[in-house]
Amino acid sequence: MNSARITNTAKSFSAPIVAGLVIFGVWQGALGLLDPDGFVLPAPIEIVAALVDNWDAVSQGARITGFVVVSGLGVGIVLGVLAALLVTRFRAANETITPLAVAINAVPIIALAPIFNNWFGLTSPRSNQAIVVALVFFPIFINTARGLTQVDRSQIELMESYAASRSRIAREVRIPNAMPYFFTALKLATSLAVIAAIVAEYFGGRQDALGPIITQSAGLTRYDTAWAAVLAGTAIGAVLYFGAVLLERLVMPWHLASRNGSHE
């Protein structure tokens, strides 16, 4: 059983890696054949070379941006789950939190960034962390709340027939039912967190983070360096995504088994 699970995990990770290598190979070959003049998308070899040449600056930027991404993602997850538990338990919370969450989610980053910069300071990481939290919160909240509420009524009635308390029903029925919804939102939130952090850095934060490196390098037509910083941001998102996939497989091996069974 364990060996089969390891094999399935390896296959799921190897497929996107192989696809990425093929894309980079086609990209490199196409640029070599076409040889476009003044093209702003450098060849993968040039991007890797720029990454090596500017390793200290890009790695430092990745650490700064990565801290904002991970900390904001963590807070957004906690707040989203807590809000989902509240709205499924209390009607007043549902009537208050849900419209507020929808309204915040509708506000673009470029509108939130100046406000948070004034609140927390132009160079403070808390401003960019708040933007990450705002973007991560909504998918976690909505999906988790959906999983907590869309439960088979017969399961609830069975637990109530045994005089189970509401907390026990939530613990043994609602929360397990919500786990697939939560992990779907978590995998989406990992990408949103990286996007939010880098875009927020265009408006404030430390100038040695990935966002400023991208904008400054592109402004100086050093596109290879800009794409090297983009590659670093992509790596952060990929690590977080695959971490979420691994966590899902550890927490819900039964869900993976049921999916594999349905595909047979």
Side-chain angles (χ1 to χ4, degrees):
M1 179 66 178
N2 291 333
S3 61
R5 188 182 305 169
I6 293 174
T7 301
N8 289 332
T9 302
K11 288 180 179 179
S12 65
F13 286 169
S14 62
I17 293 175
V18 172
L21 292 175
V22 170
I23 292 172
F24 283 128
V26 173
W27 177 359
Q28 181 74 38
L31 291 180
L33 290 173
L34 300 176
D35 191 23
D37 183 23
F39 196 57
V40 296
L41 184 61
I45 292 179
E46 296 177 9
I47 295 174
V48 173
L51 178 62
V52 174
D53 293 339
N54 299 275
W55 176 254
D56 291 340
V58 175
S59 61
Q60 173 71 2
R63 285 192 292 270
I64 295 169
T65 302
F67 170 73
V68 172
V69 170
V70 173
S71 57
L73 178 64
V75 174
I77 291 170
V78 171
L79 293 179
V81 171
L82 289 177
L85 292 171
L86 285 174
V87 300
T88 55
R89 179 66 176 82
F90 303 104
R91 181 176 180 180
N94 181 37
E95 295 175 349
T96 303
I97 296 176
T98 301
L100 181 61
V102 173
I104 293 176
N105 184 67
V107 179
I109 296 177
I110 58 174
L112 290 175
I115 297 175
F116 289 157
N117 286 337
N118 287 329
W119 285 357
F120 302 111
L122 186 63
T123 60
S124 173
R126 289 180 295 175
S127 173
N128 296 343
Q129 287 169 330
I131 292 176
V132 175
V133 171
L135 262 70
V136 166
F137 171 82
F138 188 76
I140 296 291
F141 164 64
I142 289 296
N143 281 272
T144 304
R146 182 180 181 187
L148 290 170
T149 54
Q150 291 192 351
V151 180
D152 188 350
R153 184 58 194 171
S154 62
Q155 297 180 11
I156 302 294
E157 292 174 350
L158 178 61
M159 294 294 292
E160 291 175 344
S161 67
Y162 287 101
S165 63
R166 299 186 67 172
S167 61
R168 184 176 180 183
I169 293 175
R171 185 172 60 252
E172 298 186 8
V173 177
R174 294 189 183 277
I175 292 178
N177 186 76
M179 294 303 289
Y181 295 87
F182 166 77
F183 278 106
T184 298
L186 178 60
K187 287 180 281 189
L188 173 63
T190 56
S191 299
L192 289 176
V194 176
I195 294 171
I198 292 179
V199 173
E201 288 170 349
Y202 294 169
F203 301 93
R206 291 182 54 169
Q207 292 303 298
D208 50 353
L210 289 181
I213 292 175
I214 294 171
T215 54
Q216 292 167 12
S217 298
L220 297 172
T221 66
R222 296 170 54 193
Y223 296 113
D224 53 353
T225 304
W227 279 101
V230 172
L231 182 61
T234 302
I236 295 173
V239 169
L240 291 174
Y241 178 85
F242 286 122
V245 172
L246 283 175
L247 183 61
E248 180 185 24
R249 292 171 184 269
L250 290 173
V251 174
M252 298 192 309
W254 49 268
H255 184 61
L256 175 63
S258 64
R259 285 192 303 181
N260 290 339
S262 65
H263 292 162
E264 294 176 355

